[in-house]
Amino acid sequence: MDLLQYMDEGWRSVLIPVGSQAILGLRGSRLIVDPHRGPTALMEPQSGMDVPGSDYGAFERDVLGQDSIARVVLGYDLGLQSTSFAQRYLARDIAQAANDWTIAEWLPRDERLHAMMLVATSIPQAAAAEIRRVGGNDRMVAVALGCNGLGRPFGDPAYHPIYEAAEELGLPIVIQVGSEISGDQPLPAVAGGNPSTYAEFRVHAGHANWNHVASLITEGVFTRFPKLKALLVGGGAAAVPAQLWALDYWYKMTGPAFPWIERLPSEYFADHVRVSTLSLEKPRQPERLAQALGAVAGIERVLLYTSGYPDQEWETAEQIAERLPAEWHERIFRTNADEFFRWPGWLAGSHHAAVTGNSAGGR
Amino acid sequence: MSTYAGPIVDVDVHNTVASPAVLKEYLPARWQDYVSVTPPVPNTTIGLGFFTPAPPVRRRDGGPTASTYQHIREDVLEAGNVFKAILTHGIGQYPELGNHDFMLDVCRAANDWMIDTWLTLDDRLATVLVVPTQMPEEAAAEIHRLGDHPQMVGIVFSSNPLRRPLGDPIYHPIYKAAVEHGLAITTHVGVEHASVIPGGAPSSNMTATVNFAGAAGHHISSFITHGVFEKFPEAKFVLKEYGITLLPSLMWRLDAEYQRMRSESPWVKRYPSEYMREHVRLSTQPIATGPRRRDLMDYLSVIDGIDDMLLFSTDYPHSSMDDYEYAARQLPAAWHRKVFCDNACASYGWTPPPVELEQRIERSAA
């Protein structure tokens, strides 16, 4: 297992007998399906090279091989679930090893490659330290939160040290669906109780992200860390209008409960939150997708292309482009990502001091 | 700006006990002392402590708002041209009580109280049965006991002690009984205990509330993947107080999983959206919209026939209630008669009032 080389001797003696599943976070996962192969492939021990996304040759062919790909952000996969491990120090050290492994073995292979850093959210101070340790590498362009290791929505004050470090280093945070299926996670995978079928999971997996957004906004994360941005990955986008309207509606109803919020939730959302195109809806009348999304003015500034590779439903930019209006393409496939991630060069600029100067205040 | 003067069915009106002592009278003798330490009205709804999504509007007479017929008559029945109003308890989370024997008797007491002190007063009133949802056989027995009352139009899940999505087979005995008596299966905001919200327990009533629609969507998906509508072709599933904007995304995402259902849920014979059009109805309140006038219709109209799926509700007496004028302004005039009246009549088996009534009222209004 590649990752073990980046972990210390102690962990190696413990983890080698257990095998790759411990590190992948698959052991104890409550869905008996592999998201890459669908419900027909029951979980079984996997050899390192059998893990989807681990084969650089295939990745190079499928993703980098597309002429239109200018830059790529690697975002880990089932490893995102490692941040929920009950053994928190293992989670912390896996995150460190994963970041070192990414920097050493992936980024040098192609100059278009960038990556998110994995942090163990169950120990926020350790996560903040990891952000500061790895954040000096300017091809690490975002922070992947993975599972919410404390079982609390991501706006919870316990997580704020992570956001302080991320903002300080100009790094956005990324929240990905699927982290709720970890067997170490006491929360249901989707709202209303755990699903019986994989179809239910696919339909509703995005819900947790909206819980996190409501939490980030109402707990004042964006007032306390005004430069922080967040990307929601994997739940599709057609629910965006409904979710924003509900947030504003209930905020107007209960607003005095949140004196640290100065604007409507939808306004914070527009400034701070982006939504990926992974699992973008496919209505049988494709033109209606743009109609539904367009119910929110400026939606083309919210959506950001992500392929989702190697998810079994990953899509090329061309496939996504087919069901979105041409006038939105420049934003969704290029500009929004340009503005969102902390691309190389930022660290050398003057942003750093400016951001730290602004990070006080808020809640 | 549209207005509506026709007949109204309000499918979500909350009447409430003036005090826990009211239900005591309907409980067997053995509980009379017990209720002094364990009130029959659970005072936590979704286990969050803070949960009051919208406190009741205030009235200064006759006890707690909505605890007397006079309140309901003045504020609901006579506030508009109301043909029928469905009382949905306040909100009826009795199944959440931990002692099963006590809980069973409290559910029965709440239903007897409803029939005794409300339904007899006005034939415009109808109601839903509170059933002990964590004891499905007992729930079915309660449905058989009272399900044929002419003003009984549904059963309601306002709490979900088993914490399972509502299509789960554990609940099918309840649905079998409901369908036998022609009762709609209803769920109301409140079944979403904090422990079933992914991502962690919300920390405020606002963040709890914005999570409810997602759970409601899963209850619908669960009905479909478990084949409830194939097993019980007469079943109607009415969801109250989740809003209506959950439909477009849900229907598209479910339809996209149809092929996967061929192996996981082979009893699913049609696109999920087709089952939903036939069997699923949503109460309208709260109607949350975007800032532009056209936003809501742009969004809802991506689903053909969505206007057949909506049932008007006020959610009286909560301060987040929608009045008739507000709902009429948000929804196009072409939908009004259906959403305010005819859809509910079809769902609950009422003959819609004649058109003349509507015209007479419009004339007198003019």
Side-chain angles (χ1 to χ4, degrees):
Chain A
M1 188 66 205
D2 299 347
L3 214 51
L4 285 170
Q5 297 164 29
Y6 295 88
M7 303 189 74
D8 70 25
E9 193 61 41
W11 283 128
R12 267 183 262 170
S13 65
V14 173
L15 294 174
I16 285 171
V18 180
S20 64
Q21 288 184 45
I23 289 186
L24 285 169
L26 279 171
R27 200 163 64 121
S29 175
R30 285 172 301 184
L31 294 178
I32 55 158
V33 293
D34 177 341
H36 306 300
R37 299 189 184 82
T40 52
L42 299 183
M43 274 180 7
E44 55 194 26
Q46 298 176 351
S47 71
M49 294 311 291
D50 191 34
V51 179
S54 66
D55 179 347
Y56 187 79
F59 167 73
E60 193 171 34
R61 181 192 67 228
D62 294 341
V63 179
L64 295 175
Q66 302 171 61
D67 291 339
S68 58
I69 294 292
R71 284 181 284 190
V72 169
V73 179
L74 301 170
Y76 301 101
D77 187 49
L78 293 168
L80 292 165
Q81 292 182 16
S82 68
T83 67
S84 74
F85 285 175
Q87 209 328 353
R88 295 173 175 205
Y89 307 103
L90 174 60
R92 178 194 64 190
D93 291 358
I94 284 176
Q96 289 175 6
N99 294 330
D100 290 341
W101 167 76
T102 297
I103 291 169
E105 301 201 15
W106 285 84
L107 298 185
R109 297 204 201 199
D110 192 302
E111 62 182 16
R112 288 173 292 175
L113 293 177
H114 304 76
M116 303 174 196
M117 66 188 76
L118 187 61
V119 296
T121 50
S122 54
I123 316 179
Q125 287 73 15
E130 180 66 0
I131 290 170
R132 294 190 173 97
R133 183 181 79 90
V134 180
N137 183 320
D138 73 1
R139 286 169 71 187
M140 300 298 268
V141 297
V143 176
L145 295 184
C147 248
N148 56 338
L150 297 174
R152 303 286 303 146
F154 275 130
D156 195 285
Y159 294 115
H160 290 197
I162 300 175
Y163 308 141
E164 185 177 16
E167 189 194 49
E168 184 183 311
L169 285 152
L171 294 161
I173 57 172
V174 179
I175 304 174
Q176 169 115 23
V177 303
S179 32
E180 292 74 19
I181 64 175
S182 160
D184 287 300
Q185 175 61 272
L187 302 160
V190 305
N194 270 316
S196 299
T197 63
Y198 192 60
E200 288 164 77
F201 175 71
R202 278 280 178 185
V203 170
H204 300 287
H207 178 92
N209 282 356
W210 292 107
N211 189 16
H212 292 312
V213 164
S215 174
L216 287 166
I217 293 171
T218 58
E219 305 263 15
V221 169
F222 298 126
T223 43
R224 189 165 174 201
F225 308 107
K227 304 279 187 193
L228 189 71
K229 290 174 286 181
L231 175 64
L232 312 178
V233 178
V240 170
Q243 294 288 346
L244 294 187
W245 299 342
L247 281 168
D248 282 356
Y249 179 94
W250 289 106
Y251 172 70
K252 288 173 186 167
M253 205 69 71
T254 58
F258 310 101
W260 49 85
I261 300 184
E262 292 144 5
R263 295 179 290 153
L264 286 175
S266 62
E267 296 176 48
Y268 285 104
F269 186 91
D271 286 352
H272 295 273
V273 183
R274 297 295 173 261
V275 175
S276 96
T277 58
L278 176 57
S279 195
L280 183 68
E281 285 74 8
K282 297 175 183 170
R284 278 174 285 153
Q285 296 125 320
E287 72 286 355
R288 296 197 179 181
L289 178 61
Q291 182 189 330
L293 294 171
V296 165
I299 190 76
E300 72 278 9
R301 293 176 171 269
V302 171
L303 304 178
L304 191 156
Y305 169 65
T306 54
S307 68
Y309 182 88
D311 187 290
Q312 62 172 345
E313 295 188 1
W314 81 279
E315 294 189 273
T316 63
E318 285 69 24
Q319 288 170 304
I320 295 283
E322 279 174 14
R323 51 191 198 279
L324 293 175
E327 60 271 26
W328 295 1
H329 289 180
E330 178 67 21
R331 279 240 146 238
I332 292 170
F333 295 104
R334 187 200 306 267
T335 319
N336 292 341
D338 280 351
E339 294 171 358
F340 182 80
F341 292 102
R342 188 204 70 179
W343 297 109
W346 186 93
L347 283 164
S350 58
H351 313 277
H352 191 189
V355 171
T356 24
N358 285 342
S359 63
R363 209 178 147 146
Chain B
M1 193 166 292
S2 347
T3 56
Y4 174 72
I8 290 166
V9 176
D10 183 346
V11 302
D12 194 24
V13 174
H14 298 287
N15 58 334
T16 187
V17 291
S19 79
V22 170
L23 287 186
K24 188 177 172 182
E25 294 173 30
Y26 292 87
L27 286 168
R30 67 165 168 144
W31 299 119
Q32 294 301 318
D33 291 335
Y34 188 82
V35 295
S36 62
V37 285
T38 305
V41 181
N43 62 4
T44 57
T45 51
I46 60 170
L48 294 173
F50 54 75
F51 182 69
T52 313
V57 293
R58 281 193 202 155
R59 280 191 61 125
R60 291 193 177 78
D61 57 317
T65 306
S67 66
T68 72
Y69 173 65
Q70 188 194 352
H71 291 180
I72 301 284
R73 181 166 49 79
E74 290 176 7
D75 294 348
V76 178
L77 299 176
E78 291 171 5
N81 179 21
V82 173
F83 169 59
K84 297 281 182 187
I86 300 180
L87 301 176
T88 316
H89 296 266
I91 54 179
Q93 295 190 310
Y94 310 108
E96 208 58 59
L97 290 164
N99 178 329
H100 284 182
D101 278 346
F102 180 55
M103 180 275 301
L104 284 173
D105 281 334
V106 171
C107 288
R108 292 183 189 121
N111 293 325
D112 289 338
W113 165 79
M114 180 69 91
I115 292 171
D116 231 30
T117 57
W118 293 87
L119 299 188
T120 50
L121 296 177
D122 196 314
D123 62 11
R124 287 173 292 183
L125 296 175
T127 192
V128 287
L129 282 171
V130 175
V131 295
T133 49
Q134 76 274 48
M135 302 177 77
E137 296 300 337
E138 296 292 347
E142 181 67 354
I143 292 168
H144 293 313
R145 183 173 81 91
L146 295 175
D148 287 335
H149 189 289
Q151 285 155 281
M152 202 59 73
V153 296
I155 61 152
V156 66
F157 283 70
S158 294
S159 61
N160 184 14
L162 295 181
R163 313 280 186 251
R164 294 295 304 145
L166 296 187
D168 195 286
I170 189 77
Y171 297 124
H172 292 195
I174 303 179
Y175 303 152
K176 180 170 184 285
V179 166
E180 279 173 26
H181 295 273
L183 301 175
I185 301 156
T186 309
T187 181
H188 187 282
V189 155
V191 296
E192 299 75 19
H193 191 274
S195 64
V196 293
I197 296 176
S203 63
S204 65
N205 61 29
M206 176 199 158
T207 47
T209 306
V210 297
N211 272 294
F212 292 159
H218 187 202
H219 294 313
I220 294 171
S221 303
S222 177
F223 262 60
I224 289 166
T225 57
H226 285 293
V228 175
F229 300 126
E230 282 291 336
K231 204 168 167 182
F232 308 111
E234 306 298 316
K236 294 272 185 220
F237 188 28
V238 179
L239 297 99
K240 294 187 182 180
E241 208 177 329
Y242 296 97
I244 54 182
T245 51
L246 64 89
L247 287 172
S249 159
L250 177 66
M251 292 170 90
W252 285 348
R253 296 188 73 82
L254 270 172
D255 280 359
E257 297 300 320
Y258 182 59
Q259 285 312 314
R260 208 187 311 271
M261 290 175 195
R262 306 310 309 133
S263 59
E264 287 190 312
S265 311
W267 41 82
V268 177
K269 302 274 196 303
R270 295 182 283 154
Y271 276 111
S273 61
E274 294 176 27
Y275 289 106
M276 288 177 65
R277 282 194 181 85
E278 188 177 330
H279 298 276
V280 174
R281 299 291 179 265
L282 275 72
S283 78
T284 52
Q285 183 275 343
I287 303 179
T289 68
R292 297 172 302 182
R293 183 81 197 120
R294 62 184 179 84
D295 290 342
L296 183 66
M297 277 309 111
D298 278 0
Y299 194 58
L300 295 179
S301 65
V302 298
I303 300 297
D304 294 331
I306 197 169
D307 48 328
D308 293 325
M309 301 175 69
L310 311 180
L311 313 177
F312 171 74
S313 64
T314 55
D315 188 37
Y316 174 85
H318 300 133
S319 57
S320 57
M321 64 181 282
D322 288 347
D323 59 31
Y324 316 120
E325 290 82 2
Y326 174 80
R329 282 199 304 276
Q330 303 307 321
L331 304 174
W335 292 14
H336 284 178
R337 174 72 198 209
K338 279 185 182 179
V339 174
F340 278 104
C341 181
D342 291 358
N343 291 346
C345 288
S347 292
Y348 295 112
W350 295 315
T351 306
V355 177
E356 302 86 72
L357 176 64
E358 186 175 352
Q359 289 170 337
R360 193 174 67 241
I361 287 159
E362 275 176 11
R363 268 202 309 279
S364 66

